[in-house]
Amino acid sequence: MATEMQDFAADLGGWMRDGARRLSGADRRALAERFSAWALADGQLPDGGLRAWIEDLDAVGREALTEQVAGFCTDFEIDLAWLVDGELEAWPALEAQLRSLVTHYCLACKAAVDADADLMRFRRRRLWQHQRGDGAAGVRGDQGGD
């Protein structure tokens, strides 16, 4: 019985990953629109700064964010559409858990975007010092420009 359950779980995981890969461009855009509408609705995302950040994204940015979130969910055998389409309404505890999961992942995405300029400067400085022969040990954490 345990082996059968493991096989079932493996099959389900494969089905979820394949389903995510099968999404066409139109399907991804439609999911991005539904996700954006869901994320910007009152009460869905508790962090106002996160909602404002999503609202400021253009269509391409929202689609990219949705793709990241959907991929993250798929890794855990979750379909993002379940949450944004209201399919979890009869499962309020599960819905709250998935809302929290999505919120935290979106916050991580926002933090990565917010850190991007500093990361680019760090990488350039690190590469320059490595090419000079200083190695990574000479990279300083100063906040000034290059």
Side-chain angles (χ1 to χ4, degrees):
M1 180 77 164
T3 301
E4 291 172 2
M5 288 302 289
Q6 287 174 331
D7 291 343
F8 174 75
D11 289 344
L12 180 62
W15 175 80
M16 290 288 293
R17 282 186 295 281
D18 291 344
R21 280 188 229 119
R22 283 192 303 266
L23 285 178
S24 69
D27 292 336
R28 283 194 308 271
R29 282 188 298 281
L31 180 59
E33 289 171 12
R34 294 191 329 268
F35 173 73
S36 295
W38 174 86
L40 297 175
D42 284 340
Q44 295 300 349
L45 298 178
D47 185 291
L50 179 59
R51 279 194 311 275
W53 177 73
I54 292 172
E55 191 169 31
D56 286 345
L57 293 173
D58 62 10
V60 173
R62 288 182 185 182
E63 190 172 329
L65 175 63
T66 303
E67 196 168 309
Q68 288 293 315
V69 174
F72 174 76
C73 287
T74 298
D75 287 345
F76 291 95
E77 300 177 5
I78 299 165
D79 187 339
L80 179 60
W82 298 339
L83 184 62
V84 301
D85 293 341
E87 292 185 45
L88 300 169
E89 196 171 279
W91 300 75
L94 178 60
E95 184 179 23
Q97 289 174 322
L98 294 186
R99 183 182 300 112
S100 176
L101 179 80
V102 167
T103 298
H104 285 93
Y105 188 76
C106 288
L107 286 167
C109 290
K110 181 183 179 306
V113 169
D114 290 348
D116 191 55
D118 287 337
L119 282 170
M120 286 177 50
R121 282 196 302 274
F122 171 79
R123 287 185 204 114
R124 281 194 308 266
R125 167 94 32 109
R126 187 175 186 277
L127 178 63
W128 175 75
Q129 288 180 333
H130 182 71
Q131 288 174 344
R132 278 189 28 207
D134 296 348
V139 177
R140 298 273 186 254
D142 64 339
Q143 296 296 314
D146 297 42

